[in-house]
Amino acid sequence: MFSLFGRRTLVHRNLRICCQISAALGFLSVSLAGELTPAWIAISWVAWALTFLVDRFPEFQARLRRLETAAVALMLGLLFLDFFVFRFTIFIAVTHFLLLFQTIKLIGEKTRKDCFQIFLFSFLLVLAACTLSVDVWQAGVLLLMIPTATAALYWNQMAKAHEDSHQPLSALLHRRYGRMAIGVCLTALPLNLVLTI
């Protein structure tokens, strides 16, 4: 349960949207790397599209939570097979692991912690794509990741504060949070570019 006031709070919805955008950026970066088979790419994008449908059925997602232990065993088994049996490089094997983890998380229940994990694994997918190929498009994905990551971290912190306060969030306060999120995201990209230069 995300909070005392229900899973589907506005703050949680914004966090979930940020994580879905970051997942799309992770899948895009791995897709553009061109090192994975089309089946892996297709499964990833289908899972991403399905997240919008399965999010409407929280009871189904809650039942999937019981399968997480088996899913972890499957992911570790696949990592072992990729590396020792199929003889993929460690970079491909780890990328498969990340894709499978992200696929399972996207279809499953999305509490605040789950959303944060989706965001983190999206960033790891972008980094994995950077190990698979070196192209100019990676700069574009990384630039898009800066405001997306900023928004995800911001809404994660707001969601945590909302959980800790045990108070309902008023519409006025949510609008104020929204304006602050836009301001933080708009300044994140130029500030990061200045610091990088």
Side-chain angles (χ1 to χ4, degrees), residues 84-130:
F84 292 108
V85 176
F86 301 126
R87 302 284 186 195
F88 285 120
T89 66
I90 189 68
F91 301 115
I92 297 290
V94 168
T95 303
H96 286 166
F97 177 85
L98 294 171
L99 285 172
L100 190 55
F101 181 93
Q102 192 75 303
T103 298
I104 291 166
K105 279 296 180 183
L106 283 170
I107 293 173
E109 190 175 18
K110 293 176 193 67
T111 63
R112 179 182 61 82
K113 291 178 183 177
D114 295 312
C115 287
F116 192 70
Q117 288 175 354
I118 290 170
F119 158 69
L120 285 178
F121 272 74
S122 300
F123 183 68
L124 292 174
L125 279 171
V126 172
L127 293 181
C130 291

Side-chain angles (χ1 to χ4, degrees), residues 130-148:
C130 291
T131 66
L132 297 176
S133 69
V134 180
D135 287 310
V136 175
W137 58 262
Q138 289 172 340
V141 172
L142 287 168
L143 286 175
L144 288 172
M145 197 64 167
I146 292 172
T148 305

Side-chain angles (χ1 to χ4, degrees), residues 59-75 100-101 104-105 107-109:
E59 299 83 18
F60 170 74
Q61 289 178 316
R63 284 195 299 272
L64 286 179
R65 177 75 78 186
R66 290 183 229 133
L67 301 174
E68 282 187 350
T69 304
V72 168
L74 173 73
M75 288 186 292
L100 190 55
F101 181 93
I104 291 166
K105 279 296 180 183
I107 293 173
E109 190 175 18

